[in-house]
């Protein structure tokens, strides 16, 4: 059976996995992310290790897919801009192809994760799914009819930069009121700290200071503390607002939540499903299910490999 | 050359056109919209007239496409629900196919208009375009790689029901703060009336009363009257907010504005293009052009015909 290598290039680590078309794992590996051209070296090292250590013939590897942070031009195989990785107009796909003599495709990391979850994770029983990752920012990826939707020049799918409260909180993109400015883990932590400072009697102070509060803090105390409860309520309202928008726009069968905050599982999905069922346009006709992603940090590498799997 | 019939079923009129794959028009016709099953009769009448009056052999007609108001299940060819047309779970495609003995496809009217503009109108030089119609509501249609994007069960593309101001103006869909509640002609007229009533000295009173104000009124006086200017400003800000969202999500090459308000042309597109260029995520890399639709009321029938044109 043919095998496929998936590479996930993040700011600190490059992860790799080798799988077959059913998602069966033949090996995993990782290296520290270098800077600039070293990233191509790192990918070559991982590819060779994966092939050698899994003991398979190189001819069985039909492609290398790469998911990479930053603005990616999938058609030309280049990293247009990645500040974290210090790359600009960098022909990463071509460089890896020259070294490995195996076809290479590239997409951005959020899209790769979405494709991974869609094919092998929480979306595997659906043809149309959206992954929304709640981390430092809000990332998104859209799979329609089993294929990634990236937009013209792969610049679409920026679900985090949809304004849901015009004139609201400042976003890193320069606009105000973006989904990301309310629904990222960063926004949740900021709101938690604010609530703690507002209420010196809040039970949240028992486990941490406002400096060490995390995206878990408010959820941990939501049942016993009104301030924590209000933070969770606030967070879920905004998150649901953005997710109903996404559901109205794409009408996937399933929306999968990933990233740090998604560890809350039913605490998050149950109230959001309620709001979605109530507010979705023509919701009875075509409902949308909300669930949490299942592959975790492996989604990116799996999805990158899936770029190379022909239907 | 093969010919294709496009039918646009609206609340008051059913319009039809017969075209070739290049959009060359061979004939047009219309009938008053009947209720319920009469709609299939009306479509049959138009199809026969179009064929007979254009003097072409019936064998040359390779398909009938229908754009219809309401919730449409494109896959099954049914009108799931259309309150205006009093249709529910109505197998319109099948009924027309049985009468005409020609293959029939159906989509909703907003999607048909988007496909018409994409293929033969303002979007004809682009593979990825979005049509946003500013009328009684805000409708939308998305064409990606030359094909309509309808979402699961054709229930996506509800661009008007994207919240851009959480907790804001009440929308017909039940949510608050939807794009449609700010950017429809209805919302513009409401705001114009409100501004007139706020300011008895407004120049807008010269041509109309607050009862007879239209979507044109504020634009007509924007240069000479501060109240009118503020209405236009307000309208453009919200409209641009929603359009930047759409651009970030789909990243089409072009956004086309249709519907009554789009008659303002450069008064609308110039300020919106400015905001879009400034606020778009990674806008320099993949800019989005804003323009007005060019086919007007004919877009729906052209697009419906295009449903049947194989690439």
């Amino acid at each position: 059976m043919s095998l496929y290598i998936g590479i996930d290039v993040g700011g600190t680590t490059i992860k790799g996995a080798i799988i077959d078309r059913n998602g069966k794992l033949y090996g995993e590996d990782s290296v520290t992310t270098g800077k600039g051209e070293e990233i191509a070296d790192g990918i070559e090292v991982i590819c060779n290790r994966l092939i050698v250590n899994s003991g398979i013939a190189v001819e069985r590897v039909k492609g290398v897919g790469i998911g990479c942070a930053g603005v990616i031009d999938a058609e030309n195989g280049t990293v247009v801009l990645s500040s974290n990785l210090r790359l600009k107009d960098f022909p990463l796909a071509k460089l890896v192809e020259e070294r490995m003599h195996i076809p290479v495709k590239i997409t951005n990391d959020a899209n790769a994760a979405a494709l991974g979850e869609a094919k092998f994770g929480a979306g595997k029983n659906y043809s149309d799914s959206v992954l929304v990752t709640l981390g430092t920012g809000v990332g998104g990826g859209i799979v329609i009819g089993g294929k990634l939707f990236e937009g013209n020049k792969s610049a679409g799918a920026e679900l985090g930069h949809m304004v849901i409260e015009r004139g609201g909180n400042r976003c890193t993109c320069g606009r105000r009121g973006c989904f990301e400015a309310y629904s990222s883990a960063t926004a949740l932590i900021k709101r938690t700290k604010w609530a703690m400072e507002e209420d010196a009697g809040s039970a949240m102070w028992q486990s941490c200071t406002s400096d060490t509060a995390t995206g878990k803090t408010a959820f941990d105390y939501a049942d016993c503390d009104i301030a924590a409860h209000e933070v969770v309520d606030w967070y879920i309202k905004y998150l649901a607002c953005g997710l109903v928008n996404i559901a109205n726009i794409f009408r996937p069968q399933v929306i999968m939540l990933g990233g740090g905050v998604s560890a809350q599982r039913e605490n998050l999905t149950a109230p959001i499903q309620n709001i979605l069922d109530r507010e979705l346009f023509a919701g009875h006709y075509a409902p949308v299910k909300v669930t949490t992603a299942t592959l975790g940090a492996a989604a990116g590498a799996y999805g990158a490999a899936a770029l190379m799997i022909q239907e």
Side-chain angles (χ1 to χ4, degrees), chain A:
Chain A
M1 189 183 260
S2 298
L3 298 176
Y4 307 87
I5 291 176
I7 302 286
D8 183 12
V9 183
T12 54
T13 314
I14 302 178
K15 283 176 283 203
I18 182 164
I19 63 172
D20 66 19
R21 61 183 308 110
N22 302 316
K24 189 184 161 189
L25 186 70
Y26 287 72
E28 285 182 293
D29 216 312
S30 66
V31 298
T32 302
T33 308
K35 291 294 170 215
E37 294 235 4
E38 294 168 19
I39 290 169
D41 303 334
I43 293 174
E44 184 187 357
V45 167
I46 292 195
C47 287
N48 285 332
R49 281 200 209 147
L50 286 171
I51 296 167
V52 172
N53 292 343
S54 58
I56 56 128
V58 64
E59 296 79 27
R60 288 179 64 193
V61 181
K62 298 304 181 196
V64 176
I66 303 173
C68 184
V71 178
I72 308 295
D73 183 342
E75 203 175 323
N76 293 310
T78 57
V79 181
V80 177
L81 185 67
S82 181
S83 321
N84 277 350
L85 304 175
R86 296 190 206 162
L87 296 178
K88 192 165 183 279
D89 295 323
F90 186 70
L92 184 55
K94 188 169 137 261
L95 288 174
V96 174
E97 209 162 81
E98 281 170 6
R99 291 163 190 227
M100 298 305 302
H101 311 288
I102 298 173
V104 175
K105 281 187 189 169
I106 182 167
T107 189
N108 86 30
D109 51 351
N111 286 337
L115 190 59
E117 286 290 345
K119 294 280 185 197
F120 307 116
K124 69 180 171 189
N125 296 321
Y126 305 95
S127 60
D128 303 305
S129 63
V130 174
L131 175 69
V132 176
T133 52
L134 310 167
T136 311
V138 171
I142 297 138
V143 175
I144 297 167
K147 290 205 180 317
L148 265 180
F149 168 68
E150 303 184 280
N152 171 39
K153 297 178 85 176
S154 333
E158 287 294 347
L159 303 180
H161 301 296
M162 162 178 69
V163 167
I164 58 170
E165 187 148 300
R166 215 189 64 84
N169 292 354
R170 178 68 74 186
C171 181
T172 53
C173 78
R175 296 178 87 197
R176 284 189 174 277
C178 284
F179 187 30
E180 170 164 315
Y182 295 91
S183 298
S184 60
T186 313
L188 172 59
I189 294 167
K190 208 165 153 186
R191 184 80 182 187
T192 303
K193 290 178 176 180
W194 174 84
M196 289 173 74
E197 280 157 17
E198 282 271 291
D199 180 1
S202 159
M204 291 190 278
W205 290 101
Q206 289 168 16
S207 69
C208 60
T209 71
S210 76
D211 280 346
T212 59
T214 70
K216 245 176 117 268
T217 308
F219 281 97
D220 284 348
Y221 288 89
D223 284 341
C224 65
D225 180 59
I226 182 81
H229 184 85
E230 282 173 0
V231 170
V232 168
D233 227 46
W234 174 92
Y235 181 76
I236 283 173
K237 248 184 245 168
Y238 280 94
L239 176 56
C241 177
L243 296 179
V244 176
N245 281 359
I246 291 169
N248 276 341
I249 293 168
F250 290 105
R251 196 60 59 115
Q253 292 139 321
V254 65
I255 293 177
M256 309 172 291
L257 302 178
V261 185
S262 72
Q264 295 301 330
R265 305 186 62 84
E266 291 75 21
N267 290 337
L268 213 53
T269 53
I272 285 170
Q273 186 73 61
N274 273 337
I275 298 174
L276 203 62
D277 290 345
R278 203 168 60 228
E279 297 199 356
L280 200 58
F281 192 82
H284 290 290
Y285 165 60
V288 176
K289 186 179 156 64
V290 175
T291 186
T292 45
T294 57
L295 296 180
Y302 274 76
L307 285 175
M308 306 306 300
I309 300 175
Q310 304 293 324
E311 293 305 316

